[in-house]
Amino acid sequence: MKHATLLPFLSILVVTAVGILLAQNPEANAPYKNPKLPVEQRVEDLLRRMTPQEKAEMLSGSGWMESQPNARLGIPAIRMADGPMGVRNWVGSSAITNAASTAPVLATAFPASIGMGASWDVELVQREGQVIGQEVKALGRDMILAPTVNINRLPLWGRNFEGYGEDPYLAARMGVAYIKGVQSEKVIPSVKHFAANNAEFERHRIDEKIDARTLHEIYFPAFQAAVQEAGTWAVMSAYNKVNGLWCAESPFLLSETLQKRWGFQGFVISDWGSTYSTAPTVAAGMHLEMPGGEPMRIWFAKPETQKSGNGAGWLGADKVLAAVAAGQLKQEAVDDGARRILRVMFTAGLFETSRTRGGEVDTPEQRALARRAATESIVLLKNEGGALPLGAPKISSVAVIGPSAAIARTGGGGSSLVRPKYSVTALDGVKEAAGAQVQVGYALGVSMQGEDVSKETPEARAELRNEAVDLARKSDAAIVVVGYSYKLESEGFDRPSMDLPAGQDELIEAVAAANKNTTVVIVAGAPVTMTKWIARVPAVVQAWYGGQEAGHAIGDIVFGVQNPSGKLPVTFPKQWADSPAYGHYPGENLHVTYGEGIYVGYRGFDKRNVEPLFPFGHGLSYTKFDYSDLKITPAAVAAGKQVEVTMRVRNSGSRAGAEVVQLYIHDVKSSVDRPVKELKGFRRVVLTPGQTQSVSFTLDQSALSFYSGAKDEWVAEPGAFEVWIGASSRDVRLKGTFELAP
Ligand code: BGC
């Protein structure tokens, strides 16, 4: 009885309570909030609930490094940070965050990507990506603007240090590994900059003329692999124009290539200030314009920003909605952008996790990885008469000299520069590695160009140099640590030449004259001119920018605590004029033609028969490796089938070491002009003395193909192919042949 009378009253209560709740949060029980449902279902459910205004709002940022949140629907902002060498400060532009005055974000600084490329260690790069992903989360961010997979087309590019080198296959392997590592932590990567951002000169305005074959064979593969092999969640478009259109509004790049040809499902983010229109940009397949909101407006109003040619502020909701209303833009294009961003956000779990800053970064494991990476990145370029490794009892004193000896230069300049909690200088690393029996002296020798003008007068220079020479003369060996700084090699401008900064060549020459046992260690992201002194020094080490642990790595390599195993991911030319891109840069009237076409890097040196200073793939070890037993099966392969290649590598020296075995394909006869050789496989093998290991490679049709402009597709032509196995691109040890059947 009682129950019967209470029931209507209770149900009114419940209905009212639910009503109040729903009024406060109408989407509380919406399917999109349910993490158990499939991502696509959640995306479509949420899209259905969004107003046109809300969808349009998704297409532009709310701040310097944040996308727009939506409080009504509980859509969080995507919080970003720059990479690729670690997590960088996100409060503003490079100019702001590189300045000493801002409160820095301190994170593990890994070697420059060019050094990671020099490791040829795919597993290491994947692990690096994963650790960076962990640090992104620990710092309360969701997305890392990395990796950079642009090809190092010319030695002068200010951002060479940020890419993985000149070869599309190597860059693809490294980019894929990095992305897999980042995404394994549910952090959003953003492979960049699509496409052909290969110079800083007028990067906002330059129009690059590049033929289709060159795009597909050289500048696209790393992006294609990022999409198809790593399933990257985001791609950043480049500043420059390609064939007449800005990358941010190029239907050819964004919708035809990225989406239709490669099947990209994620979102495209603009580079910071790379948009110049509303309807054409959204319609082309640009989904998120950055930066946005007030920070963008303040930055964009600055005369420097305008002067440099940046474009911004085109994808704000008002402009997007107006374009739709005016019939210039289809609503579906706006929906597609919102859909793609939401898809990634659901996939990355951003609706379920709210990351807050305060987690642990730079843990002992992360530091150890940074040290291993720095060690593996180092390339021993020259070692005449076994000058290296140094150490007792061979020597009892060493002079450490140079502008990069007592200052740790962890990275190049610009948006990738990470502030580590600490950094190890080469001098400290040498002291540790040399041990108590070796006395270590230090002299500056020359100050880094532009760092202290009082030390740059002719008199001051002479005094510094003399001091260094005196120290070198009375020491058993000398190590001269030279190179660039983040102010001289940086995003934003190209290097004026390949030459070392002022006074460094003279320093090396003077020290080498005083001490025959001189090692030059180069800290730079790209090749430097060495012709003036290379014949006069027995040993040269390329250390790149090695991140926070670089000093330990340099000490360990020079003193033989570790065995060098890095190999060049770029050709080192004797001079800039030898580069295939010479004469095709920087162009005229803001137009540049990539006239060398597919002949970039070693492809160009081979084609024109130019002797490099050090070839692509070159790097010495303290042990020796013998190559043997090349087997290729089958001898005749049917179209579409795979070829198995095996060989054996033996450590025939007396200490443990790692060798990077490289596989190049040489197409014997082709209907089109093809490079003499193209890298299509590599393996990094770690061997103890006397140990032999069998190495195998699988070649599929893509390894044999060229891109046919006429057919607009990849073509593997029947006929003979040679497999060249080398310790570098110019040290081919084994050759074999197989036929591709018609
Ligand atoms: C760079 C990007 C970077 C962005 C945000 C741009 O200037 O080209 O690589 O991610 O700034 O800092």
Side-chain angles (χ1 to χ4, degrees):
M1 245 303 262
K2 266 187 188 165
H3 281 163
T5 46
L6 263 181
L7 216 56
F9 176 67
L10 271 178
S11 33
I12 289 167
L13 250 183
V14 170
V15 169
T16 321
V18 170
I20 292 169
L21 263 178
L22 279 178
Q24 280 171 349
N25 185 358
E27 322 295 337
N29 295 315
Y32 77 87
K33 295 239 161 136
N34 182 354
K36 296 206 181 86
L37 293 179
V39 165
E40 291 309 311
Q41 196 180 327
R42 299 178 75 188
V43 171
E44 294 310 319
D45 178 63
L46 179 49
L47 272 179
R48 263 195 304 275
R49 292 162 195 271
M50 294 173 80
T51 63
Q53 167 80 25
E54 286 173 329
K55 287 191 266 197
E57 279 169 4
M58 300 285 300
L59 307 194
S60 61
S62 65
W64 191 260
M65 284 271 168
E66 290 83 24
S67 70
Q68 297 213 33
N70 178 323
R72 184 182 80 86
L73 294 160
I75 305 175
I78 305 174
R79 292 155 304 174
M80 311 167 192
D82 258 313
M85 289 70 135
V87 189
R88 181 176 170 276
N89 205 346
W90 49 81
V91 295
S93 69
S94 321
I96 297 171
T97 51
N98 286 346
S101 58
T102 43
V105 169
L106 304 177
T108 306
F110 286 92
S113 311
I114 191 73
M116 300 305 290
S119 76
W120 299 61
D121 189 337
V122 178
E123 180 267 320
L124 171 75
V125 174
Q126 182 158 342
R127 184 83 189 102
E128 180 207 15
Q130 187 183 0
V131 159
I132 289 173
Q134 287 161 357
E135 294 200 3
V136 167
K137 289 194 289 191
L139 290 163
R141 310 307 285 178
D142 310 305
M143 177 166 179
I144 182 102
L145 305 174
T148 304
V149 298
N150 293 119
I151 294 296
N152 299 29
R153 173 181 178 241
L154 51 137
L156 307 185
W157 183 29
R159 263 177 124 164
N160 268 327
F161 61 86
E162 228 183 291
Y164 291 117
E166 72 190 20
D167 183 77
Y169 180 82
L170 178 61
R173 302 309 2 115
M174 295 297 156
V176 165
Y178 187 101
I179 292 165
K180 281 187 177 167
V182 169
Q183 289 186 175
S184 73
E185 290 294 323
K186 292 211 150 203
V187 166
I188 309 168
S190 171
V191 62
K192 65 191 187 183
H193 312 80
F194 188 61
N197 180 177
N198 312 106
E200 296 303 282
F201 175 78
E202 286 285 2
R203 64 177 173 163
H204 302 288
R205 281 183 280 243
I206 195 88
D207 183 8
E208 303 163 354
K209 193 163 174 222
I210 316 175
D211 63 79
R213 180 174 177 201
T214 301
L215 283 171
H216 282 279
E217 290 194 15
I218 305 294
Y219 300 104
F220 282 174
F223 290 98
Q224 184 173 359
V227 171
Q228 296 184 328
E229 292 180 50
T232 189
W233 296 339
V235 173
M236 186 190 290
S237 81
Y239 280 130
N240 47 279
K241 293 180 186 173
V242 171
N243 296 327
L245 286 182
W246 267 299
C247 292
E249 58 183 52
S250 165
F252 165 69
L253 289 177
L254 304 184
S255 41
E256 283 163 40
T257 305
L258 203 52
Q259 291 178 26
K260 293 199 194 103
R261 202 182 272 261
W262 300 342
F264 177 58
Q265 297 293 314
F267 67 87
V268 178
I269 185 169
S270 74
D271 199 347
W272 266 233
S274 72
T275 48
Y276 300 87
S277 66
T278 304
T281 300
V282 179
M286 165 60 60
H287 310 118
L288 176 55
E289 179 194 57
M290 290 296 292
E294 207 39 32
M296 179 273 289
R297 280 187 280 279
I298 295 169
W299 167 76
F300 196 58
K302 289 186 179 162
E304 317 85 88
T305 313
Q306 305 268 330
K307 199 169 150 239
S308 71
N310 270 104
W314 291 92
L315 265 54
D318 47 345
K319 288 195 177 140
V320 170
L321 290 173
V324 174
Q328 296 158 346
L329 181 63
K330 293 205 177 94
Q331 179 63 39
E332 292 90 84
V334 181
D335 292 358
D336 186 52
R339 175 179 289 114
R340 286 167 175 274
I341 296 168
L342 292 173
R343 177 182 289 142
V344 170
M345 293 177 76
F346 281 121
T347 309
L350 299 196
F351 282 73
E352 282 73 58
T353 49
S354 178
R355 292 163 185 161
T356 45
R357 195 170 168 182
E360 209 188 341
V361 297
D362 206 34
T363 61
E365 293 75 32
Q366 293 166 342
R367 287 181 182 185
L369 190 74
R371 181 166 181 167
R372 180 182 145 205
T375 309
E376 287 192 23
S377 78
I378 290 180
V379 182
L380 178 57
L381 293 173
K382 176 176 179 182
N383 193 17
E384 218 168 60
L388 294 183
L390 299 175
K394 230 162 67 172
I395 60 162
S396 58
S397 60
V398 64
V400 181
I401 294 165
S404 299
I407 295 182
R409 304 195 187 273
T410 58
S415 61
S416 68
L417 192 60
V418 174
R419 296 265 197 105
K421 287 188 180 166
Y422 70 94
S423 54
V424 183
T425 67
L427 180 60
D428 286 340
V430 164
K431 280 184 185 156
E432 253 182 64
Q437 288 101 315
V438 179
Q439 217 196 329
V440 181
Y442 165 71
L444 176 61
V446 66
S447 77
M448 180 63 78
Q449 192 182 311
E451 252 166 34
D452 182 351
V453 281
S454 72
K455 295 195 174 118
E456 293 191 21
T457 62
E459 303 74 40
R461 279 242 172 95
E463 201 183 315
L464 285 173
R465 197 159 56 229
N466 291 342
E467 238 170 63
V469 166
D470 283 349
L471 179 68
R473 194 171 288 124
K474 56 181 197 247
S475 306
D476 295 337
I479 303 168
V480 194
V481 192
V482 295
Y484 278 72
S485 70
Y486 77 91
K487 289 195 175 147
L488 298 176
E489 187 173 13
S490 171
E491 175 183 340
F493 58 90
D494 294 325
R495 296 190 300 165
S497 82
M498 267 176 52
D499 294 348
L500 280 168
Q504 297 188 16
D505 282 331
E506 294 77 4
L507 174 69
I508 298 169
E509 285 174 306
V511 171
N515 191 320
K516 295 279 153 276
N517 200 3
T518 291
T519 296
V520 175
V521 175
I522 304 166
V523 177
V528 303
T529 320
M530 301 184 208
T531 37
K532 290 179 192 141
W533 44 260
I534 187 137
R536 283 183 256 162
V537 296
V540 184
V541 171
Q542 179 69 30
W544 317 107
Y545 298 109
Q548 67 188 38
E549 284 287 341
H552 278 142
I554 292 169
D556 286 352
I557 294 286
V558 172
F559 282 84
V561 180
Q562 298 284 344
N563 195 350
S565 62
K567 302 254 189 179
L568 290 181
V570 280
T571 305
F572 273 28
K574 287 181 185 150
Q575 50 177 354
W576 157 223
D578 291 346
S579 165
Y582 185 80
H584 309 293
Y585 164 87
E588 272 174 17
N589 303 324
L590 301 177
H591 287 272
V592 62
T593 300
Y594 279 32
E596 75 287 3
I598 58 168
Y599 295 101
V600 173
Y602 65 87
R603 290 164 168 81
F605 282 82
D606 286 351
K607 165 101 176 144
R608 297 171 307 140
N609 214 358
V610 175
E611 195 62 37
L613 181 62
F614 295 108
F616 175 83
H618 167 77
L620 305 171
S621 166
Y622 296 147
T623 188
K624 269 182 58 198
F625 299 100
D626 298 336
Y627 289 42
S628 67
D629 300 296
L630 175 63
K631 287 194 183 72
I632 304 172
T633 44
V637 65
K641 291 280 183 299
Q642 292 178 333
V643 180
E644 299 299 328
V645 177
T646 60
M647 53 82 65
R648 285 157 74 83
V649 56
R650 175 169 185 269
N651 181 347
S652 57
S654 55
R655 60 172 298 174
E659 172 69 328
V660 178
V661 179
Q662 300 154 43
L663 184 154
Y664 297 88
I665 283 286
H666 168 71
D667 191 354
V668 178
K669 198 163 157 277
S670 169
S671 65
V672 298
D673 202 23
R674 293 196 68 176
V676 175
K677 63 174 104 66
E678 292 176 77
L679 183 76
K680 294 296 172 188
F682 60 86
R683 292 278 181 283
R684 187 173 185 278
V685 192
V686 185
L687 296 170
T688 53
Q691 194 187 352
T692 302
Q693 195 173 308
S694 174
V695 178
S696 62
F697 304 89
T698 302
L699 300 174
D700 58 22
Q701 298 289 288
S702 69
L704 315 178
S705 305
F706 64 87
Y707 186 84
S708 160
K711 294 194 175 136
D712 192 24
E713 62 185 25
W714 289 88
V715 173
E717 276 182 353
F721 287 86
E722 284 181 11
V723 172
W724 295 1
I725 305 285
S728 90
S729 64
R730 294 234 167 166
D731 180 9
V732 173
R733 307 271 182 91
L734 305 169
K735 282 188 178 181
T737 320
F738 68 91
E739 289 279 330
L740 176 62

